[in-house]
């Protein structure tokens, strides 16, 4: 009896060790498979246009004129001139979802209100080029200059990234884009620059523009429907941006960008190079977008649950181990 007991106990330990090694191996494998930068499960955005697939890397500022963060054409060889200002509003739920899918531990700070668009930036841009950006390498950022509008900035131009220190996002926007906007007297200091962004949000609030066309969170819409709603109010071509989730085969509305000339008047965004977006003709006009032209775009009110957390695979090896131990005990007794 003692030998049999030792035998099944030894088998049990070996089996248990094997099962748990299998769990660890599968977990590592799954983690590798879910590295979104590797297999494109979620990207900003995957655009299918005439068979072409376009995608960007993920980063807290991935959407800023898209890839101009690492562009080797910064300032276009010293040319700091620009033609239009791109004013970008972002849908915070999608932005946070994007970051969380990249890193499940990522903390987000979302507005309390349900239908609340926030400002991403005001970006001077030369038609047909990326940027310019970082136009004054010796410039600094002084948060004290924004004291009189600090409350409004926290509310309407917040950092969605809950891990960033106060002012980090505004510092980035000012040094990269504000230092190029200062060629206009109306934007030649921090206070003027950020006040203009706040004023444009109040004047061209996306929740109102879309809501007037019956487009609200928790709805699915085509990019043409979004374009039609925007054109009805703006009268100018915007740029519409999405992220695409490969696992759910779903596009999410993320940003809407509108353009202004140097007289601070609305103008078409035609001719800008907004990263991964392209101009697509449709019956009745042209839309500048990176969204899928023929599939619905979801305008979410809440973030979907993490897919990687749905499967409790660790339970099954434990159950199997228990059953096999029971069999060994029965066989050896």
């Amino acid at each position: 009896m003692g030998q049999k007991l030792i035998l099944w106990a030894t088998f049990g330990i070996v089996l248990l060790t094997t099962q748990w090694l299998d769990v660890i191996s599968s977990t590592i494998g799954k983690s590798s498979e879910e590295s979104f930068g590797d297999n494109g499960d979620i990207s900003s955005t995957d655009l299918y246009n005439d068979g072409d697939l376009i995608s960007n890397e993920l980063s807290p500022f991935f959407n800023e004129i898209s890839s101009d963060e690492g562009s080797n054409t910064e300032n276009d060889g010293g040319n700091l001139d620009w033609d239009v200002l791109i004013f970008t509003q972002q849908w915070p739920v999608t932005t946070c979802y994007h970051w969380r899918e990249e890193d499940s531990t990522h903390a987000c700070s979302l507005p309390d209100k349900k239908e609340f668009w926030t400002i991403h930036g005001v970006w001077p841009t030369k038609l047909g080029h990326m940027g310019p950006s970082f136009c004054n390498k010796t410039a600094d950022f002084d948060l004290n200059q924004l004291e009189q509008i600090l409350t409004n900035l926290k509310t309407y131009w917040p950092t969605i990234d809950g891990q960033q220190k106060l002012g980090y996002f505004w510092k980035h926007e000012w040094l990269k884009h504000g230092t190029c906007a200062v060629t206009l007297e109306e934007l030649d200091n921090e206070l003027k620059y950020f006040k203009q962004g706040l004023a444009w949000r109040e004047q061209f609030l996306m929740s109102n523009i879309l809501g007037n066309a019956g487009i609200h969170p928790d709805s699915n819409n085509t990019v043409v429907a979004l374009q039609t709603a925007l054109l009805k109010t703006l009268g100018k071509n915007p740029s519409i941006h999405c992220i695409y989730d490969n696992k759910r085969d779903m596009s999410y509305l993320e940003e809407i960008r509108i353009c202004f000339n140097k007289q601070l008047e609305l103008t078409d965004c035609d001719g800008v190079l907004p990263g991964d977006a392209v101009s697509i003709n449709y019956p009745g006009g042209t839309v500048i977008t990176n969204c899928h032209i023929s599939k619905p775009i979801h305008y979410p009110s809440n973030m979907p649950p993490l897919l990687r957390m749905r499967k409790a695979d660790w339970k099954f090896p434990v159950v199997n181990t228990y059953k096999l131990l029971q069999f060994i005990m029965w066989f050896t007794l």
Side-chain angles (χ1 to χ4, degrees), residues 263-284:
Q263 289 72 48
L264 304 185
E265 302 167 332
L266 270 175
T267 188
D268 292 311
C269 289
D270 300 1
V272 301
L273 291 180
D276 52 4
V278 295
S279 295
I280 302 175
N281 294 324
Y282 67 93

Side-chain angles (χ1 to χ4, degrees), residues 72-293:
N72 57 9
T73 59
E74 182 180 295
N75 292 344
D76 195 24
N79 184 1
L80 306 183
D81 190 25
W82 52 270
D83 301 308
V84 298
L85 293 160
I86 301 177
F87 174 60
T88 300
Q89 294 181 60
Q90 63 184 352
W91 182 237
V93 173
T94 302
T95 299
C96 184
Y97 170 53
H98 194 163
W99 289 353
R100 191 197 62 177
E101 286 293 318
E102 181 190 18
D103 178 2
S104 62
T105 65
H106 198 103
C108 292
S109 179
L110 294 175
D112 294 330
K113 297 180 181 179
K114 178 180 178 181
E115 200 161 348
F116 198 84
W117 286 71
T118 61
I119 301 170
H120 189 166
V122 177
W123 307 329
T125 304
K126 188 171 180 61
L127 296 177
H129 296 265
M130 301 292 258
S133 58
F134 299 105
C135 293
N136 183 355
K137 298 294 182 62
T138 64
D140 200 359
F141 174 76
D142 183 6
L143 185 60
N144 293 325
Q145 290 192 30
L146 305 178
E147 185 175 357
Q148 66 176 268
I149 61 171
L150 195 58
T151 299
N152 285 340
L153 284 175
K154 289 178 181 178
T155 303
Y156 305 114
W157 199 328
T159 173
I160 304 303
D161 186 347
Q163 298 172 328
Q164 287 181 2
K165 294 181 180 179
L166 179 66
Y168 179 83
F169 182 35
W170 306 325
K171 177 181 179 179
H172 171 85
E173 293 299 307
W174 171 250
L175 294 181
K176 181 174 181 180
H177 304 291
T179 56
C180 300
V182 295
T183 54
L184 288 187
E185 183 180 353
E186 296 88 342
L187 305 174
D188 63 4
N189 61 45
E190 288 180 33
L191 183 59
K192 290 180 181 179
Y193 174 78
F194 286 99
K195 283 183 73 173
Q196 185 61 68
L198 292 170
W200 277 338
R201 180 193 179 274
E202 183 175 355
Q203 185 177 1
F204 302 101
L205 183 56
M206 285 303 144
S207 56
N208 291 343
I209 294 174
L210 296 177
N212 290 338
I215 299 174
H216 299 280
D218 291 323
S219 64
N220 293 311
N221 311 274
T222 64
V223 70
V224 172
L226 294 170
Q227 169 81 354
T228 302
L230 293 164
L231 276 176
K232 184 176 181 181
T233 297
L234 302 173
K236 304 293 182 180
N237 268 341
S239 182
I240 304 171
H241 292 250
C242 301
I243 66 166
Y244 177 73
D245 187 341
N246 231 4
K247 289 186 174 181
R248 293 182 173 85
D249 188 26
M250 184 175 293
S251 293
Y252 295 93
L253 178 61
E254 182 173 38
E255 290 189 346
I256 295 176
R257 306 172 184 179
I258 59 179
C259 296
F260 296 85
N261 59 26
K262 289 187 175 182
Q263 289 72 48
L264 304 185
E265 302 167 332
L266 270 175
T267 188
D268 292 311
C269 289
D270 300 1
V272 301
L273 291 180
D276 52 4
V278 295
S279 295
I280 302 175
N281 294 324
Y282 67 93
T286 301
V287 58
I288 305 168
T289 188
N290 69 348
C291 307
H292 200 301
I293 190 66

Side-chain angles (χ1 to χ4, degrees), residues 23-42 101-102 247 308:
V23 172
I24 294 171
S25 176
S26 64
T27 301
I28 293 173
K30 183 181 295 184
S31 177
S32 298
E33 290 173 3
E34 292 185 354
S35 297
F36 298 110
D38 293 338
N39 67 0
D41 282 335
I42 184 168
E101 286 293 318
E102 181 190 18
K247 289 186 174 181
R308 71 186 78 183

